[in-house]
């Protein structure tokens, strides 16, 4: 059974950076893609970007380009999402989610079959 | 503002059917058959219930179905049950630099 386990909740100051990790177990980490999706309080879901670990290929939503970096460490089956220049409206629950790589190549749906438990990040002075 | 437009809320009585719409554009829903739907209960991670417009993952009830016409995708839940009460989100691949977009979500109330 595939499991994605994320790092714990954090409180950050405006202007600082945050890093959330997502450790995969029970499946083939490298062959799939890992995306990051966030949900701000009272808001909907928002795709931020993702990585295909076996190739190191990344893709970022235009809104976050220049501020987000997503990486993967195949040796530990862990993906990371770093978001910089934090603002109060970055307060959200951040999820990692697994999909087939075809989504990244325009040949499949954003079909996220396994999700992490979510990490609450609060940005406050 | 979300890229895909969903009604904020829908409701139905147990046993009834409801349909949730998801309107996009010719850059996403209208161009590709790459629409997914997610069910989300408060405090839980989303769960995929439809992908590729109308395919159900293993274990998802056959009371749930998806379709698409033009720029609008639809999710239908028949034989409503109390456990169906949740937020529902559509998602689509898009040919912009942002590969994936979500709708704003629809709160389903089972009265």
């Amino acid at each position: 059974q595939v499991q994605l386990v994320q790092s714990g909740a954090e409180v950050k100051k405006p202007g600082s950076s945050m890093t959330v990790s997502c450790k995969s177990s029970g499946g083939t980490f490298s062959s799939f893609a890992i995306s990051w999706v966030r949900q701000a309080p009272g808001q909907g879901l928002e795709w931020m970007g993702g990585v295909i670990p076996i190739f190191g290929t990344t893709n970022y939503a235009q809104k976050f380009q220049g501020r987000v970096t997503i990486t993967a460490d195949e040796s530990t089956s862990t993906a990371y999402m770093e978001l910089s220049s934090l603002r109060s409206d970055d307060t959200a629950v951040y999820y990692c989610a697994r999909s087939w790589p075809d989504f990244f190549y325009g040949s499949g749906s954003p079909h996220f079959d396994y999700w992490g438990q979510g990490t609450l990040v609060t940005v406050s002075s | 503002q979300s890229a895909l437009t969903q009604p904020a809320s829908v409701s139905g009585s147990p046993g009834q059917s409801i349909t949730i719409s998801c309107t996009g554009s010719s850059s996403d829903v209208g161009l590709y058959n790459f629409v997914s739907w997610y069910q989300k209960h408060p405090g839980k991670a989303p769960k995929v219930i439809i992908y590729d417009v109308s395919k159900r993952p293993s274990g998802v009830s056959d009371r749930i179905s998806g379709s698409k016409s033009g720029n609008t995708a639809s999710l239908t839940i028949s034989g409503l049950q109390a456990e169906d009460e949740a937020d529902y989100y559509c998602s689509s691949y898009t040919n912009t630099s942002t590969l994936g977009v979500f709708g704003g979500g629809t709160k389903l109330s089972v009265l």
Side-chain angles (χ1 to χ4, degrees):
Chain A
Q1 177 73 349
V2 174
Q3 273 197 310
L4 301 178
V5 178
Q6 299 181 217
S7 48
E10 296 192 60
V11 179
K12 293 292 185 180
K13 299 285 189 189
S16 68
S17 297
M18 64 176 238
T19 299
V20 182
S21 66
C22 170
K23 183 172 177 59
S24 175
S25 63
T28 306
F29 177 73
S30 296
S31 300
F32 292 88
I34 296 290
S35 284
W36 290 88
V37 177
R38 76 178 187 180
Q39 183 174 34
Q43 303 298 311
L45 301 173
E46 185 173 32
W47 185 79
M48 301 179 67
V51 61
I52 303 174
I54 194 170
F55 301 123
T57 306
T58 56
N59 192 286
Y60 302 125
Q62 187 171 15
K63 173 179 178 177
F64 298 101
Q65 285 193 7
R67 221 164 51 96
V68 68
T69 303
I70 297 172
T71 58
D73 182 340
E74 291 185 81
S75 68
T76 60
S77 299
T78 303
Y80 300 89
M81 186 278 296
E82 178 182 11
L83 188 63
S84 62
S85 302
L86 291 172
R87 308 184 290 254
S88 58
D89 62 0
D90 290 317
T91 294
V93 176
Y94 290 79
Y95 295 97
C96 61
R98 191 190 84 161
S99 71
W100 290 96
D102 55 2
F103 162 54
F104 280 68
Y105 302 129
S107 54
S109 292
H111 174 191
F112 306 119
D113 55 359
Y114 291 97
W115 293 68
Q117 82 276 18
T119 297
L120 174 62
V121 177
T122 303
V123 182
S124 174
S125 55
Chain B
Q1 189 172 359
S2 302
L4 307 179
T5 301
Q6 299 180 231
S9 62
V10 298
S11 62
S13 300
Q16 288 186 331
S17 296
I18 61 93
T19 296
I20 299 172
S21 61
C22 169
T23 301
S25 70
S26 56
S27 297
D28 39 64
V29 176
L31 188 57
Y32 304 98
N33 289 324
F34 296 148
V35 176
S36 299
W37 288 90
Y38 293 86
Q39 178 190 62
K40 189 179 187 304
H41 289 103
K44 301 282 192 179
K47 172 188 174 184
V48 62
I49 55 175
I50 291 286
Y51 67 98
D52 291 353
V53 174
S54 60
K55 297 178 181 176
R56 274 191 311 273
S58 173
V60 173
S61 172
D62 60 5
R63 297 184 296 107
I64 292 172
S65 62
S67 62
K68 190 190 88 166
S69 178
N71 293 343
T72 299
S74 298
L75 175 73
T76 297
I77 304 176
S78 60
L80 273 178
Q81 300 177 0
E83 67 203 46
D84 297 326
E85 189 161 287
D87 294 325
Y88 291 83
Y89 293 89
C90 61
S91 181
S92 174
Y93 176 81
T94 171
N95 69 355
T96 67
S97 57
T98 299
L99 297 184
V101 289
F102 284 93
T106 298
K107 182 176 182 60
L108 169 60
S109 298
V110 180
L111 305 173

